[in-house]
Amino acid sequence: MKEHLLALKEEALEVLEKVATPKELADLRVKYSGKKGALTEILRGMGKLSAEERPVVGQVANEVREAIEEVVNCKQDEFTKAETNERLQAEKIDVTLPGRTLPQGGLHPLNKVIEQIEDIFTGMGYRVAEGPQAETDYYNFEALNLPKNHPARDMQDSFYLTEDLLMRTHTSPVQIRAMEAMKGETPIKVICPGTVFRRDDDDATHSFQFHQIEGIVIGKDIRMSDLKGTLLQFAREMFGESTEIRLRPSFFPFTEPSAEVDVTFVKKNGERVWIEILGCGMMHPKVLEMGGYDPEVYSGFAFGMGVERIAILKYGIDDIRHFYNSDLSFLKQFARQ
């Protein structure tokens, strides 16, 4: 039996040295030292040995088992290290490669124009005020000299939530709220940017939802010349130093006198034309009173412009709907400006 054990050891070590795969190693481990392996089969005959032979054969059997297990474990370690190195090579990161930059977005063109207008007017001492989009009939119409059933309301027919609550048709209600918040103190210099809503059909120049920026100035001895100078300064900062403006008489219920403002604009063919950009005027005495100011003591002016109209002129856009259809090919050009 001792000879069989030594022969098994020699055979097993020779075969194990030639193992090429982890599966082959596992199979040979079972073949030689498993519960039904060759070593176990030999040891089953120990019952036939004499008492003197058993310790000797048992010691040899342990030596054979340990020798086989040692080779198996060494081979297993080799396979594990090789597998780890192979995985590390496959997952290797070249730290010298340039990094992958994420795509960068940019401000929407309307937001860019709003921010630029805000910068211009805050640079002239104005503050920015905001108000609710769902507005009461009082602030949206009545406090602006547009009593119920006034025909001028037809131009701003809008979306009513209740009989007395509607989506605001202009940002003028914010002006009244700003006047009330000042409680008769002056001066007031405020601009009011925001979204407004009107029952318009969508086309190249109209939308049921658009953006306005309105402004007011209230104090003593405020004159039409102050208004014209302010708007000239704005136009030149927005469109260029050579820009000129002209005021044409118009009608607004909340200002008196009122005017439409045109700016000079150069077409692609070089022709210089006048284009309307906003409305303005001296604040109506009734509006001053509704806001808490004595029109015999104080005066003021107001103006309002559509942000989309300014953006169309500034960027040469031919259709207002481009601002709202989320076309990335259109929007990406403004990220670089």
Side-chain angles (χ1 to χ4, degrees), residues 44-316:
R44 283 176 181 168
M46 288 186 65
K48 300 177 183 180
L49 299 176
S50 64
E52 292 81 8
E53 290 178 315
R54 287 176 186 172
V56 177
V57 173
Q59 182 178 353
V60 174
N62 287 335
E63 291 174 355
V64 172
R65 187 188 301 277
E66 289 174 359
I68 292 174
E69 289 296 326
E70 183 179 358
V71 174
V72 169
N73 290 336
C74 286
K75 283 289 184 181
Q76 185 62 53
D77 288 344
E78 290 177 9
F79 288 134
T80 300
K81 290 178 180 178
E83 182 183 354
T84 301
N85 288 333
E86 184 178 347
R87 188 169 65 250
L88 289 174
Q89 288 299 320
E91 298 174 357
K92 184 178 180 181
I93 299 174
D94 187 351
V95 296
T96 65
L97 289 173
R100 295 184 179 91
T101 58
L102 295 175
Q104 290 187 335
L107 284 177
H108 190 280
L110 294 180
N111 286 335
K112 292 171 75 74
V113 170
I114 289 172
E115 288 193 0
Q116 186 175 358
I117 294 173
E118 288 179 346
D119 287 344
I120 292 172
F121 281 102
T122 54
M124 290 191 279
Y126 288 69
R127 65 180 179 87
V128 179
E130 296 182 344
Q133 293 183 4
E135 191 57 273
T136 65
D137 184 271
Y138 172 79
Y139 283 107
N140 196 79
F141 290 126
E142 293 183 43
L144 294 165
N145 198 32
L146 282 165
K148 293 185 184 300
N149 301 317
H150 193 290
R153 286 194 181 204
D154 294 341
M155 296 184 295
Q156 298 188 24
D157 195 9
S158 185
F159 303 100
Y160 282 82
L161 307 176
T162 68
E163 186 175 343
D164 189 56
L165 193 67
L166 72 157
M167 302 303 292
R168 67 184 181 188
T169 62
H170 44 193
T171 57
S172 300
V174 185
Q175 300 176 7
I176 298 297
R177 293 180 178 274
M179 293 164 67
E180 290 181 345
M182 289 295 289
K183 298 180 178 179
E185 295 184 7
T186 57
I188 297 180
K189 297 180 74 174
V190 172
I191 58 169
C192 316
T195 309
V196 299
F197 308 85
R198 296 186 187 179
R199 199 182 63 181
D200 277 337
D201 294 328
D202 283 359
D203 57 30
T205 57
H206 296 85
S207 173
F208 70 93
Q209 172 186 301
F210 56 100
H211 301 80
Q212 276 190 341
I213 294 183
E214 302 191 21
I216 57 170
V217 171
I218 299 176
K220 292 183 178 181
D221 300 321
I222 302 297
R223 300 178 297 273
M224 196 75 174
S225 58
D226 298 317
L227 171 60
K228 184 176 181 180
T230 298
L231 297 179
L232 178 60
Q233 178 68 20
F234 159 73
R236 288 180 173 174
E237 290 196 40
M238 176 59 69
F239 299 111
E241 285 297 322
S242 63
T243 303
E244 298 294 339
I245 69 170
R246 71 179 181 186
L247 276 62
R248 291 180 290 106
S250 185
F251 167 77
F252 301 111
F254 28 82
T255 54
E256 185 181 65
S258 304
E260 301 283 0
V261 179
D262 303 332
V263 298
T264 52
F265 185 76
V266 180
K267 292 184 175 181
K268 292 181 180 179
N269 61 7
E271 181 185 1
R272 193 175 181 89
V273 296
W274 290 100
I275 295 182
E276 177 191 333
I277 61 166
L278 59 87
C280 66
M282 300 301 294
M283 293 189 70
H284 196 286
K286 289 186 178 180
V287 176
L288 286 170
E289 286 181 345
M290 298 291 272
Y293 290 85
D294 183 351
E296 297 295 328
V297 179
Y298 300 103
S299 59
F301 62 73
F303 56 87
M305 66 190 76
V307 176
E308 282 81 352
R309 178 173 295 187
I310 301 297
I312 283 173
L313 289 176
K314 185 173 179 63
Y315 297 120

Side-chain angles (χ1 to χ4, degrees), residues 108-109 321-334:
H108 190 280
R321 290 169 291 194
H322 291 318
F323 293 126
Y324 311 123
N325 61 13
S326 301
D327 183 355
L328 289 180
S329 63
F330 169 78
L331 296 175
K332 282 180 179 178
Q333 62 185 310
F334 299 99

